[in-house]
């Protein structure tokens, strides 16, 4: 008898998101007075096998990315939640990782992201995340802020939604009959230039995005689509 989860795999994992866009400095800040780019994210996924080399699923991510630039005097931060619908295609026809212990998968997907972001400069007299001077922001509730000279800051008070899509590769490895571990490396591209929080920049292309690398562990249920299961007694 098949359960309602026959052919599905459910998983949880974690990984790192690194900002991609015209505000990046091509260097990873590991720890600078509490600022750090390697910030753990949470990933939840559910995939249904369609045939011997294809899966469809939903992936939820919650996390943030941060980067410093200009000799660590300026920086950005984005906190986000997103839901994407994904398709995975095994490049070695082994999507359920049964005949062989490894599957190399191409993935592509799209969905929605809800985010808040800020662009800041670092106060040299008080170097810490709490000492950052926010120059512009999205989703922090700020309205009509002004600096000490009376010049207005640019702010969008509410969090924003944007379209987001991804393309990448992941490596699936069979641990035992039901457990699989996946290593994902993908590029996420949004439909906005505001993930950096810098509302003063004019260029809209390229839009902001991030590179994601992470591990998830999945529990697989039953036999996937396109195969016949052996009867159990």
């Amino acid at each position: 008898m098949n359960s309602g989860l026959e052919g599905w795999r459910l998983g949880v994992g974690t990984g790192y998101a690194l900002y991609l866009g015209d505000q990046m400095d091509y260097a990873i800040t590991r720890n600078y007075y509490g600022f750090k780019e390697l910030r753990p994210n949470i990933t939840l996924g559910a995939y249904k096998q369609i045939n011997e080399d294809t899966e469809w699923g939903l992936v939820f991510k919650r996390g943030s990315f941060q980067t410093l630039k200009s000799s660590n005097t300026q920086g950005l931060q984005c906190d986000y939640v997103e839901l994407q619908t994904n398709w995975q295609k095994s490049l070695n026809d082994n999507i359920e990782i049964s005949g062989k212990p490894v599957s190399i998968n191409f993935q592509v997907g799209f969905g929605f992201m809800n985010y808040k972001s800020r662009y800041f400069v670092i106060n040299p007299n008080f170097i810490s995340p709490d000492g950052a001077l926010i120059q512009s922001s999205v989703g922090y509730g700020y309205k009509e802020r002004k600096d000490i000279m009376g010049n207005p800051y640019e702010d969008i008070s509410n969090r924003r939604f944007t379209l987001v899509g991804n393309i990448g590769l992941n490596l699936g490895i069979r641990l035992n009959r039901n457990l699989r571990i996946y290593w994902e490396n993908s590029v996420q591209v949004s439909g906005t230039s505001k993930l950096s929080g810098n509302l003063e920049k004019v260029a809209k292309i390229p839009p902001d995005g991030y590179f994601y690398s992470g591990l998830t562990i999945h529990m697989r249920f039953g036999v996937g689509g396109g195969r016949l299961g052996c009867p159990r007694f």
Side-chain angles (χ1 to χ4, degrees):
M1 179 180 296
N2 293 343
S3 70
L5 293 175
E6 189 78 11
W8 284 87
R9 60 177 172 92
L10 308 179
V12 60
T14 186
Y16 294 122
L18 300 175
Y19 170 74
L20 295 176
D22 60 2
Q23 305 296 302
M24 61 193 294
D25 67 349
Y26 305 98
I28 297 177
T29 302
R30 295 186 179 276
N31 195 353
Y32 180 76
Y33 294 97
F35 296 96
K36 58 184 66 176
E37 293 190 31
L38 298 179
R39 305 160 70 88
N41 291 246
I42 296 174
T43 299
L44 302 175
Y47 283 90
K48 169 70 171 178
Q49 185 177 349
I50 305 302
N51 52 44
E52 292 186 12
D53 64 0
T54 308
E55 288 179 328
W56 170 85
L58 292 172
V59 176
F60 170 84
K61 286 188 173 78
R62 180 187 181 97
S64 67
F65 50 83
Q66 182 182 92
T67 189
L68 298 184
K69 65 173 192 172
S70 302
S71 300
N72 294 342
T73 61
Q74 301 176 43
L76 63 90
Q77 179 174 323
C78 177
D79 300 284
Y80 66 90
V81 292
E82 69 178 41
L83 181 66
Q84 293 197 51
T85 180
N86 270 4
W87 286 265
Q88 306 244 12
K89 180 176 177 61
S90 174
L91 300 181
N92 59 338
D93 299 325
N94 188 36
I95 197 69
E96 66 182 72
I97 321 181
S98 58
K100 291 166 281 190
V102 174
S103 179
I104 303 170
N105 303 326
F106 170 78
Q107 72 174 55
V108 64
F110 67 92
F112 295 93
M113 172 191 287
N114 178 256
Y115 70 95
K116 68 176 184 178
S117 58
R118 60 176 183 149
Y119 191 78
F120 55 85
V121 298
I122 297 174
N123 186 342
N125 298 316
F126 187 55
I127 302 178
S128 77
D130 294 332
L133 303 176
I134 299 176
Q135 300 297 296
S136 60
S137 69
V138 177
Y140 280 80
Y142 296 136
K143 296 180 180 179
E144 301 179 354
R145 292 187 306 136
K146 295 182 178 180
D147 62 19
I148 58 175
M149 303 300 293
N151 300 313
Y153 291 112
E154 287 198 58
D155 296 300
I156 298 173
S157 62
N158 297 324
R159 294 176 67 107
R160 284 289 186 93
F161 279 94
T162 184
L163 292 172
V164 63
N166 81 85
I167 186 170
L169 292 173
N170 67 72
L171 182 70
I173 301 173
R174 183 178 70 230
L175 300 180
N176 60 32
R177 184 176 183 274
N178 297 109
L179 290 179
R180 313 285 191 264
I181 190 167
Y182 292 83
W183 178 33
E184 176 188 346
N185 290 278
S186 59
V187 173
Q188 320 285 323
V189 180
S190 78
T192 182
S193 60
K194 295 181 174 63
L195 297 188
S196 69
N198 187 350
L199 303 183
E200 296 180 355
K201 67 178 182 177
V202 177
K204 304 298 182 183
I205 299 175
D208 289 332
Y210 67 92
F211 171 77
Y212 178 80
S213 182
L215 294 172
T216 56
I217 187 165
H218 281 250
M219 172 72 77
R220 188 173 188 89
F221 298 87
V223 179
R227 304 230 178 168
L228 294 177
C230 296
R232 296 178 183 176
F233 298 93

